């Protein structure tokens, strides 16, 4: 995720800004830059790691006691130097750094262009710089306040102006900002980690607040210019704790980020009043969309599980035939690609070599190829004809969690979009999208059961084998639950379609075999009850994931984890969360290295 640092005070700031950015490196980024005000504005930015920025700074003196800095995780536009922050306005008087997404930036950009503004980057953030410059009439705080009333979307920003060489103005809506209170020096950051080396006295900004920092003080006001009396808090955590947001591991932090990351995946893409979905990055015309004859989805690992769910979703709702392929198999087996075939590539990193090569093979054979990735500017994102970013932010834990639920969210959107062009009514689309909006709060409720899941984990941490069963939409979730457990705890685990259990795995069931069954109240509910009985009859230990008011399967189970009800197509987003937590707790109890499991890599760039 992008990171912001700002400092105004009585010392030279360039090196301190870079040091602040270094403390934000753990968040992931693909370019970095600083702007310092000293008579004029000095802006230095570089694509790539901080070392590239430092090398540039070592070639020149950047004097000044007030400045802002940024590490960028690309969302709009490729990760290159021009798109990196800080961005400046038309006259080069204003510099801003921005976290978040400005949803109405295209409209604002067009208006500014008609008034003579020219833009050099592909970012939404540059529009903010121009707008602030446009509305500046001698007071930076007033200009920022004015612009807050014009933009839609999310932001945490830090802004400086050539004419106010000791002032930083910050504003927040949906993207965190924290003020550090120092002695003769004040700080602004997106994350306390950035300023911990300088001060432990902080003020957390709330949405809709504007903060004005000078070396002498900090003033917080509302968007309506009413002064707010903010409490100064003392930070007692150390840096490592802060980078993990107070969680013990990045994986646990990422599991807990899911209400937010799912919201980020659908934000700005759903039209609640018509039941439609907008996925502009696909670059497909209406005609092309209506004429998709077949879809092939290519992926590996967890992304393959999302792909399988995509097959179930698209076939049921959009009635288009879908095949899901392991990318490593597809690329070597001379696949048949007919006219009208759309090839969808799913990869969190956008760099997995098998997925990339499979995508190239599909392209060579004439398919239109689309990408569903998290990393902007990744190879798959660049080489596909169009695509959708999942906007999950950097995923640091090797075992994928939040990227999976974001991929599934996008596949749900894609399904509704395709179905609306075929047979789904506007009313049905509206109902499903309204239910999708309830998912983040429902996940937050499931996360509160973490301690109860820990108690189950304590009972099963020493078992050597697990079986995960599911039917319908819950079958890919069974596969994903089993994969999570084996990846991080090194316990052997198999995911199976529940009825298929009779054709083999049933031989394994005895009182020592924990069987995790995902049996929510959906189309396959009646059928899976019989499969649970088969496990029970052989004295297997049943851990069930059921819908909140369920009793029959709960009565047969040794342990029950309840999740809220949701339409069938959305249930997987809920059902996977307790399985992530179960795997996590078991792995921690076994003393495993959860974030860096043995032998695994986050991004597999070799065959
Ligand atoms: C590795 C990672 C998995 C991931 C898979 C595919 O195996 O450990 O977590 O699911 O690669 O990665 P991708 O970036 O293509 O989604």
């Amino acid at each position: 995720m992008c990171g912001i640092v700002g400092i105004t005070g009585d010392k030279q700031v360039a090196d301190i800004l870079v040091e602040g950015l270094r403390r934000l490196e753990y968040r992931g980024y693909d370019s970095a830059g600083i702007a310092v005000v000293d008579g004029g504005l000095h802006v230095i930015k570089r694509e790539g790691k901080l070392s590239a920025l430092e090398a540039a700074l070592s070639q020149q003196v950047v004097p000044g006691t007030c400045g802002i800095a940024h590490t960028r995780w690309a969302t709009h536009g490729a990760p290159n130097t021009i798109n990196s922050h800080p961005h400046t306005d038309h006259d080069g008087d204003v510099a801003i750094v921005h976290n978040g997404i400005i949803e109405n930036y295209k409209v604002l950009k067009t208006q500014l262009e008609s008034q003579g503004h020219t833009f050099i980057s592909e970012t939404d953030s540059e529009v903010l710089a121009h707008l602030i410059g446009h509305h500046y009439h001698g007071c930076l705080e007033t200009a920022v306040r004015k612009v807050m009333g014009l933009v839609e979307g999310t932001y945490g920003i830090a802004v400086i102006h050539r004419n106010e060489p000791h002032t930083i103005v910050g504003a927040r809506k949906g993207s965190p900002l924290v003020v550090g209170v120092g002695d003769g020096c004040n700080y602004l950051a997106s994350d306390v980690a950035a300023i911990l080396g300088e001060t432990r006295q902080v003020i957390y900004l709330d949405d809709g607040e504007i903060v004005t920092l000078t070396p002498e003080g900090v003033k917080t006001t509302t968007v309506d210019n009413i002064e707010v009396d903010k409490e100064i808090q003392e930070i007692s955590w150390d840096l490592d704790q802060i980078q993990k947001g107070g969680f013990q591991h990045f994986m646990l932090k990422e599991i807990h980020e899911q209400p937010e990351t799912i919201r980020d995946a659908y934000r700005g893409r759903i039209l609640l009043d018509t039941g439609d979905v907008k996925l502009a990055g696909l670059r497909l015309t209406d005609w092309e969309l209506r004429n998709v004859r077949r879809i092939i989805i290519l992926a590996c690992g967890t992304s393959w599980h999302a792909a399988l769910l995509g097959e179930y979703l698209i076939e049921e709702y959009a009635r288009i035939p879908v095949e899901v392929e392991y990318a490593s198999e597809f690329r070597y087996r001379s696949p048949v690609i007919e006219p009208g075939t759309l090839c969808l590539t799913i990869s969190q990193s956008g760099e997995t070599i098998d997925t990339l090569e499979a995508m190239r093979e599909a392209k060579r054979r004439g398919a239109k190829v689309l990408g569903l990735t998290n990393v902007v500017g990744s190879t798959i994102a660049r080489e596909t004809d169009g695509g959708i970013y999942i906007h999950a932010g950097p995923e640091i834990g090797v075992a994928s969690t939040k990227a999976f639920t974001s991929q599934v969210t996008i596949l749900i959107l894609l399904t509704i979009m395709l179905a609306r062009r075929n047979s789904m009514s506007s009313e049905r689309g509206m109902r499903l999208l309204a239910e999708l909006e309830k998912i983040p709060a429902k996940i937050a409720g499931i996360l509160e059961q973490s301690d109860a899941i820990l108690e189950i984990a304590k009972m099963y941490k020493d078992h050597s084998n697990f079986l995960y069963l599911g039917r319908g939409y819950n079958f890919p979730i069974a596969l994903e639950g089993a994969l999570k457990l084996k990846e991080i705890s090194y316990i052997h685990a198999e995911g199976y379609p529940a009825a298929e259990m009779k054709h083999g795995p049933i031989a394994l069931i005895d009182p020592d075999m924990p069987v995790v069954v995902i049996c929510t109240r959906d189309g396959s509910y009646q059928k899976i009850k019989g499969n649970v009985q088969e496990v029970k009859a052989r004295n297997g230990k049943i851990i069930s994931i059921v819908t909140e008011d369920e009793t029959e399967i709960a009565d047969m189970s040794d342990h029950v984890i309840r999740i809220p009800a949701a339409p069938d197509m959305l249930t997987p987003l809920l059902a996977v969360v307790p399985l992530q937590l179960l795997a996590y707790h078991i792995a921690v109890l076994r003393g495993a290295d959860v974030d860096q499991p043995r032998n695994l890599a986050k991004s597999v760039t070799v065959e």
Side-chain angles (χ1 to χ4, degrees), residues 300-303 347-350 352 355 398 400 407 487 601-602 604:
C300 301
T302 287
S303 297
S347 172
Q348 184 281 133
S349 61
T352 302
T355 314
V398 165
S400 185
Q407 289 167 342
E487 276 180 314
K602 185 71 190 155
V604 180

Side-chain angles (χ1 to χ4, degrees), residues 260-505:
E260 200 48 45
T261 48
I262 288 176
R263 226 176 260 130
D264 286 343
Y266 66 68
R267 178 180 281 131
R269 291 168 163 167
I270 60 177
L271 304 172
L272 288 168
D273 49 348
T274 60
D276 283 310
V277 168
K278 267 188 320 189
L279 295 169
L282 287 181
R283 296 196 208 112
L284 290 175
T285 62
D286 251 22
W287 187 88
E288 283 175 307
L289 276 173
R290 273 185 231 279
N291 283 283
V292 175
R293 294 280 161 261
R294 178 174 169 235
I295 298 176
I296 297 177
I297 315 184
L298 304 170
C300 301
T302 287
S303 297
W304 190 90
H305 296 153
L308 189 59
L309 204 43
E311 174 184 341
Y312 282 37
L313 287 165
I314 295 170
E315 290 205 340
E316 177 170 350
Y317 289 86
R319 313 302 302 151
I320 300 170
V322 181
E323 280 162 62
V324 174
E325 297 260 5
Y326 287 110
S328 54
E329 289 295 310
F330 179 88
R331 60 182 287 204
Y332 288 119
R333 67 167 192 78
S334 194
V336 177
I337 306 270
E338 296 152 327
T341 301
L342 191 67
C343 182
L344 179 64
T345 312
I346 305 182
S347 172
Q348 184 281 133
S349 61
E351 302 294 349
T352 302
I353 194 72
D354 281 326
T355 314
L356 176 62
E357 288 299 340
M359 184 270 290
R360 287 175 175 156
E361 179 62 21
K363 214 172 175 177
R364 274 194 292 272
R365 288 173 183 263
K368 179 125 188 161
V369 291
L370 302 175
L372 205 161
T373 58
N374 191 27
V375 181
V376 174
S378 56
T379 312
I380 289 176
R382 280 185 278 114
E383 292 193 16
T384 40
D385 299 315
I388 315 165
Y389 287 117
I390 64 171
H391 293 320
E395 192 178 61
I396 294 168
V398 165
S400 185
T401 52
K402 64 174 182 171
F404 175 75
T405 46
S406 295
Q407 289 167 342
V408 172
T409 305
I410 298 294
L411 287 164
I412 289 167
L413 296 188
L414 182 64
T415 299
I416 295 176
M417 190 182 90
L418 292 168
R420 286 282 293 120
R421 272 161 185 77
N422 294 338
S423 55
M424 185 184 280
S425 66
S426 167
E427 202 206 349
R428 188 152 190 221
M430 283 156 66
R431 260 203 324 271
L432 287 170
L433 292 175
E435 287 290 337
L436 177 62
E437 280 210 310
K438 295 182 193 160
I439 292 293
K442 290 181 180 178
I443 291 184
I446 297 170
L447 293 170
E448 284 171 14
Q449 299 183 53
S450 185
D451 286 348
I453 295 170
L454 170 62
E455 292 309 311
I456 300 174
K458 283 180 186 163
M459 285 178 245
Y460 292 95
K461 70 179 174 58
D462 296 321
H463 283 65
S464 315
N465 296 289
F466 270 69
L467 192 59
Y468 285 68
L469 302 177
R471 293 182 83 128
Y473 291 122
N474 287 329
F475 165 51
I477 297 304
L479 293 177
E480 177 58 10
L483 179 65
K484 286 292 85 87
L485 187 68
K486 71 182 128 193
E487 276 180 314
I488 60 171
S489 71
Y490 319 137
I491 293 175
H492 172 245
E494 294 286 347
Y496 254 85
E500 190 65 18
M501 175 187 69
K502 286 195 285 295
H503 303 287

Side-chain angles (χ1 to χ4, degrees), residues 80-317:
N80 57 32
T81 300
I82 289 179
N83 287 335
S84 61
H85 299 215
H87 288 287
T88 50
D89 72 326
H90 187 69
D91 300 318
D93 290 337
V94 173
I96 79 145
V97 290
H98 166 224
N99 288 357
I101 297 172
I102 302 300
E103 285 163 12
N104 60 339
Y105 83 100
K106 282 194 180 140
V107 178
L108 296 167
K109 191 170 177 175
T110 310
Q111 283 167 2
L112 288 163
E113 278 169 341
S114 70
Q115 291 164 349
H117 288 249
T118 47
F119 292 85
I120 55 169
S121 80
E122 303 159 272
T123 65
D124 52 335
S125 310
E126 191 186 4
V127 173
L128 274 177
H130 281 247
L131 264 185
I132 293 169
H134 191 73
H135 290 283
Y136 181 83
H137 304 294
C139 174
L140 186 57
E141 184 187 313
T142 307
V144 170
R145 179 167 289 112
K146 170 82 185 165
V147 168
M148 281 178 80
L150 302 175
V151 296
E152 288 163 19
T154 55
Y155 49 83
I157 53 172
V159 193
I160 53 177
H161 194 286
R162 170 203 294 270
N163 294 349
E164 301 183 32
H166 304 291
T167 303
I168 300 175
V169 176
R172 169 189 168 146
K173 184 184 162 207
S175 208
L177 273 185
V178 58
V179 174
V181 182
D183 190 10
C185 220
N186 289 307
Y187 308 84
L188 186 64
S190 53
D191 180 329
V192 273
I195 52 179
L196 202 63
E198 303 298 321
T199 179
R200 286 183 170 270
Q201 309 281 315
V202 303
I203 297 168
Y204 290 99
L205 287 193
D206 289 311
D207 277 352
E209 288 180 345
I210 299 176
V211 67
T212 303
L213 290 87
T214 60
E216 295 78 36
V218 174
K219 183 183 80 170
T220 309
T221 50
T222 64
V223 76
D224 302 319
N225 201 10
I226 296 164
E227 202 158 332
V228 191
D229 196 10
K230 302 287 288 184
E231 186 196 348
I232 298 182
Q233 301 183 26
E234 171 93 23
I235 297 290
S236 55
W237 292 355
D238 63 26
L239 187 61
D240 186 54
Q241 280 174 304
I242 284 172
Q243 289 185 335
K244 291 180 183 145
F247 292 100
Q248 203 185 338
H249 296 96
F250 281 111
M251 180 180 174
L252 188 60
K253 174 172 176 258
E254 287 156 6
I255 290 172
H256 279 79
E257 280 172 355
Q258 290 177 112
E260 200 48 45
T261 48
I262 288 176
R263 226 176 260 130
D264 286 343
Y266 66 68
R267 178 180 281 131
R269 291 168 163 167
I270 60 177
L271 304 172
L272 288 168
D273 49 348
T274 60
D276 283 310
V277 168
K278 267 188 320 189
L279 295 169
L282 287 181
R283 296 196 208 112
L284 290 175
T285 62
D286 251 22
W287 187 88
E288 283 175 307
L289 276 173
R290 273 185 231 279
N291 283 283
V292 175
R293 294 280 161 261
R294 178 174 169 235
I295 298 176
I296 297 177
I297 315 184
L298 304 170
C300 301
T302 287
S303 297
W304 190 90
H305 296 153
L308 189 59
L309 204 43
E311 174 184 341
Y312 282 37
L313 287 165
I314 295 170
E315 290 205 340
E316 177 170 350
Y317 289 86

